[in-house]
Amino acid sequence: MRIGMVGLGRMGGNMVERLLRDGHEVVAYTRDQAKVQRAVASGAIGAKDVEDLVRQLPMPRAIWIMVPAGQATQDMIDQLVPLLTPGDLLIDGGNSRYSDDIARYGALKPKGIHYMDAGTSGGIWGLEIGYCLMVGGDRVDFERLEPILKSLAPPDGYMHCGPIGAGHFVKMVHNGIEYGLMQAYAEGFEIMKSSQYTELDLAGIANLWMQGSVVRSWLLELTGRALEADPGLEQLAPYVEDSGEGRWTVEESINLSVPAPIISLSLQMRFRSRQDNSFSSRMLAAMRQQFGGHAVKAAKS
């Protein structure tokens, strides 16, 4: 099958490689032509712009978009739509909010342009392991794209989750759960690092827990790798970004009146990581000193 791929970043570029390995033809485009040429060297068909991309695809076309969520995705869709014809299919494989998918689907349907959302998990490891794909949209479009999905995913690694937006909704919750898992691991390992048992081999413990423990996971495996490379994690700044899905999951829990304290607190801890000498922490120290006479530390000059 021939498909267009727009966006050749850490995931998009590897997805092109994986599709080529399975015998598909990929027309590749991104603004950075050096990345296009790397894809061409692997066997892809290069495109110099979106017009060139569309020209090289047979009708009805299928174009997978892997650019940052939000305005960048919308801008790319806006560039592509005037070049498309009824029956063409756009797939958003980024981390868009599911409500954006519903709006786009509604705007594109009168034009005859098909649209699907594909929540994509796998990161930089997806090239070898495969990508877990959570797909939303019309069943007929899902079936049309299934050869591509099979090539990108590991066995049993893709699913039609429901109508438009369902794929990104499931991916949103997936990432919210990821926040909670990561926070629990981080807290547990800090407890061990801070304990009286100063010689604990944290990387070894991570590996130990991978051997049949109920807390084993891929995230734990990656934690072990990071600790092996840098046991004290001294090369990293204590700053944790969030990409949006955690916030959206918390907002959805509020809208649905579903309690989600772990995910909510894990998101708040990411905000906390970005504060150096935060006012709220200083206020807590001040209150403890006022009501209990507890010792406080002077601010660094």
Side-chain angles (χ1 to χ4, degrees):
M1 179 175 177
R2 180 176 287 201
I3 187 170
M5 179 68 72
V6 176
L8 304 175
R10 287 174 297 177
M11 289 183 69
N14 282 346
M15 291 169 76
V16 169
E17 291 271 356
R18 192 168 172 91
L19 290 171
L20 292 171
R21 288 181 185 180
D22 215 27
H24 296 284
E25 295 181 336
V26 181
V27 182
Y29 169 71
T30 191
R31 287 180 298 178
D32 184 346
Q33 284 295 303
K35 291 181 178 179
V36 174
Q37 291 310 308
R38 284 198 289 272
V40 169
S42 296
I45 303 164
K48 64 180 185 293
D49 50 36
V50 291
E51 290 84 358
D52 192 27
L53 174 97
V54 170
R55 276 196 301 268
Q56 298 188 73
L57 292 170
M59 295 187 290
R61 306 173 182 91
I63 301 174
W64 192 298
I65 300 170
M66 286 297 291
V67 301
Q71 194 59 49
T73 297
Q74 188 60 55
D75 288 346
M76 181 52 63
I77 291 172
D78 290 343
Q79 287 184 58
L80 285 165
V81 167
L83 307 172
L84 302 180
T85 55
D88 290 348
L89 171 63
L90 295 177
I91 308 102
D92 178 10
N95 283 327
S96 292
R97 193 165 187 166
Y98 77 95
S99 54
D100 290 342
D101 295 315
I102 295 171
R104 289 169 185 154
Y105 178 88
L108 294 175
K109 191 168 185 178
K111 303 177 187 294
I113 307 301
H114 297 227
Y115 179 87
M116 289 174 56
D117 54 290
T120 306
S121 181
I124 59 175
W125 299 92
L127 174 59
E128 299 302 328
I129 298 172
Y131 298 90
C132 179
L133 300 171
M134 296 147 267
V135 183
D138 295 340
R139 168 65 72 169
V140 65
D141 291 328
F142 173 82
E143 292 174 352
R144 169 183 164 189
L145 198 69
E146 200 161 8
I148 296 294
L149 302 175
K150 282 183 178 179
S151 295
L152 289 173
D156 300 318
Y158 68 94
M159 179 179 179
H160 182 242
C161 296
I164 196 69
H168 277 148
F169 182 84
V170 172
K171 178 60 162 52
M172 175 191 75
V173 176
H174 164 284
N175 282 29
I177 293 170
E178 177 187 297
Y179 278 37
L181 289 171
M182 292 173 68
Q183 184 66 32
Y185 282 134
E187 291 173 7
F189 276 87
E190 183 169 16
I191 290 169
M192 289 189 286
K193 183 173 175 58
S194 303
S195 77
Q196 67 199 53
Y197 300 104
T198 56
E199 301 302 315
L200 288 177
D201 178 358
L202 299 184
I205 291 168
N207 181 67
L208 170 68
W209 286 353
M210 287 300 298
Q211 316 311 315
S213 163
V214 297
V215 299
R216 66 187 183 275
S217 74
W218 188 47
L219 281 173
L220 183 60
E221 179 184 343
L222 297 178
T223 298
R225 292 183 187 185
L227 290 167
E228 286 176 2
D230 183 5
L233 302 181
E234 295 172 357
Q235 303 302 312
L236 298 175
Y239 184 102
V240 187
E241 191 57 86
D242 70 287
S243 56
E245 298 91 338
R247 298 185 189 214
W248 303 338
T249 305
V250 171
E251 290 175 11
E252 200 67 26
S253 76
I254 294 169
N255 294 337
L256 297 172
S257 299
V258 173
I262 303 301
I263 296 173
S264 299
L265 283 173
S266 67
L267 174 64
Q268 295 297 326
M269 289 303 293
R270 293 195 177 199
F271 298 157
R272 178 65 182 85
S273 77
R274 304 167 200 171
Q275 294 182 316
D276 183 23
N277 189 24
S278 73
F279 179 78
S280 62
S281 294
R282 300 200 307 275
M283 179 170 282
L284 287 172
M287 286 188 284
R288 291 183 76 246
Q289 182 188 42
Q290 291 294 323
F291 72 70
H294 299 289
V296 295
K297 295 182 178 181
K300 294 180 180 180
S301 58

